[in-house]
Amino acid sequence: MFKALVVEKDDSGYRTSLQFIDEAQLPEGDVAIQVSWSTLNYKDGLAITGKGPVVRKFPLTPGIDMAGTVIESSHSRWKEGDKVLLNGWGVGESHSGCLAQKARVKGDWLVPLPDKFSERQAMSIGTAGYTAMLCVMALEKHGIKPTDGEILVTGANGGVGSIAIILLKKMGYTVIASTGRLEEGAHLKSLGAAGIIDRKELSEPGRPLGKERWSGVVDSVGSTTLANACSTTKYGGAIAACGLAGGADLPVTVMPFILRGITLYGIDSVMAPLERRIEAWKRLAELLDISKLESNTTEVSLEEAIAVSAKLLEGKVRGRVVVDVNR
Ligand code: NDP
């Protein structure tokens, strides 16, 4: 028996609780893992609270991210004792997930834990940080250089936003952080933001073309914020869009695309191919300053993760949350 969060949905409603479950209840897979750390992403918040249709079968253990040790494997790439991490692939959505002391998954989904990171540190990056890296890689591949001007990061105090700031600063870019929590300005500057703007400046409907300001954008908010980011991106610039914390719509015109030649990159972490994941984790290991990661992280137990999920969705959690599944 081991501890796991379990999401259930039946006639009495949708609920998540801490339970002791049996190994026989683990899903199919060719690798079993002793999980040491997991984390809370926005999507985990939706799964735990039921505020979004993330969980597709019940009962199910939520949790899209884990770091741990292989305890059983019939997969050619993995053997007992290997340190691994997992992000996405539908785990915690349609395949029982990582907010548990044990998990069973497909070996094809696993990435080796980079030497630079402890299991806890890898989870203080998690899907949010790995997605931030994918966004930054898209801007870099577009050819945006630090000398091209300011990069806008929206949802700056969130997981994706905060890690995007650390990465971009390390790469020499000038980062402007957009946030609804101006009181966290000093923290955002300590991560590497050169300037802070109130997210209200971007969340009201704007003109089809605004004053050109950004050479590039990392957006985790969507909706009017993303539309305004498009209309104020400089000629030839690019936006990496990965999130919907402010809404899933996109009220934009074609003007920024056809008159300024801007590019909108869609970023998906869940089904990203293995090579891109390995590249992203290699870059994270090269670029991330561990002390900044730590100041951006809070720690909770498996049981506490249930209450913290609601706060995360309300935008009241700063940075990243790691979950000690053994506490
Ligand atoms: P967090 O909850 O950690 O951060 C979201 C941040 O967005 C908040 O901290 C807040 O920042 C801002 N925010 C919250 N509500 C609103 C609102 N109504 N309007 C404007 N801004 C708001 O989430 P994550 O960083 O983990 O994820 C961010 C988004 O990216 C989510 O939508 C998530 O689903 C998506 N995502 C997508 C992935 C992909 O593969 N495409 C992978 C990972 C995440 P502040 O207080 O600074 O304003």
Side-chain angles (χ1 to χ4, degrees):
M1 301 292 277
F2 61 92
K3 280 199 282 185
L5 293 190
V6 179
V7 182
E8 292 164 292
K9 188 182 177 190
D10 52 30
D11 293 345
S12 58
Y14 189 106
R15 61 192 175 279
T16 301
S17 58
L18 179 65
Q19 298 186 12
F20 279 91
I21 63 172
D22 194 84
E23 282 191 23
Q25 290 170 264
L26 285 172
E28 284 192 4
D30 46 13
V31 181
I33 293 155
Q34 186 76 46
V35 183
S36 43
W37 291 89
S38 185
T39 173
L40 288 180
N41 296 280
Y42 193 86
K43 192 184 261 177
D44 299 313
L46 294 175
I48 289 171
T49 59
K51 291 221 164 96
V54 167
V55 177
R56 304 213 206 95
K57 70 185 218 201
F58 300 91
L60 183 123
T61 291
I64 66 170
D65 281 333
M66 68 175 149
T69 308
V70 172
I71 46 176
E72 234 179 79
S73 170
S74 57
H75 188 279
S76 56
R77 270 199 306 134
W78 306 110
K79 59 175 189 329
E80 204 182 317
D82 286 345
K83 297 281 184 197
V84 290
L85 58 89
L86 178 135
N87 309 113
W89 293 114
V91 175
E93 301 183 57
S94 52
H95 184 104
S96 254
C98 310
L99 285 161
Q101 291 174 312
K102 281 188 184 166
R104 194 182 291 131
V105 297
K106 283 191 184 171
D108 289 348
W109 294 340
L110 297 167
V111 167
L113 180 75
D115 290 341
K116 175 171 171 186
F117 300 126
S118 67
E119 288 147 273
R120 186 181 185 281
Q121 285 160 349
M123 288 298 97
S124 67
I125 300 167
T127 285
Y130 140 65
T131 303
M133 190 72 246
L134 293 177
C135 291
V136 171
M137 281 160 57
L139 299 185
E140 191 183 41
K141 201 165 161 211
H142 189 78
I144 300 169
K145 298 185 183 56
T147 48
D148 291 336
E150 295 168 327
I151 305 271
L152 170 69
V153 173
T154 66
N157 273 296
V160 174
S162 57
I163 295 192
I165 294 170
I166 304 175
L167 293 170
L168 287 162
K169 165 72 180 173
K170 177 78 178 185
M171 292 163 80
Y173 293 95
T174 303
V175 184
I176 305 299
S178 165
T179 180
R181 286 178 273 176
L182 294 171
E183 67 279 12
E184 295 291 356
H187 172 66
L188 294 173
K189 286 193 172 165
S190 78
L191 298 181
I196 314 284
I197 61 171
D198 189 331
R199 76 181 186 204
K200 283 194 207 132
E201 285 185 34
L202 294 162
S203 61
E204 294 302 316
R207 295 198 309 250
L209 283 177
K211 190 165 181 287
E212 292 177 68
R213 178 158 184 194
W214 320 112
S215 62
V217 179
V218 173
D219 177 64
S220 61
V221 172
S223 193
T224 41
T225 299
L226 176 55
N228 286 323
C230 290
S231 66
T232 51
T233 290
K234 291 202 274 191
Y235 193 93
I239 297 118
C242 72
L244 43 60
D249 59 327
L250 180 53
V252 73
T253 74
V254 296
M255 296 306 189
F257 302 94
I258 64 174
L259 296 181
R260 290 187 183 154
I262 68 150
T263 302
L264 180 57
Y265 290 100
I267 304 298
D268 170 60
S269 65
V270 181
M271 303 308 285
L274 191 63
E275 313 81 68
R276 198 171 313 143
R277 290 165 188 262
I278 290 176
E279 188 193 347
W281 277 98
K282 181 170 164 273
R283 297 293 305 281
L284 285 161
E286 285 162 8
L287 292 168
L288 268 183
D289 175 341
I290 302 284
S291 64
K292 286 192 175 154
L293 203 55
E294 190 51 41
S295 71
N296 195 45
T297 301
T298 47
E299 183 185 314
V300 298
S301 68
L302 208 43
E303 190 166 24
E304 288 162 347
I306 299 174
V308 173
S309 290
K311 286 198 188 141
L312 186 97
L313 296 186
E314 288 164 19
K316 289 186 180 154
V317 169
R318 187 180 88 177
R320 301 278 300 129
V321 179
V322 290
V323 182
D324 181 352
V325 298
N326 295 307
R327 175 154 78 79

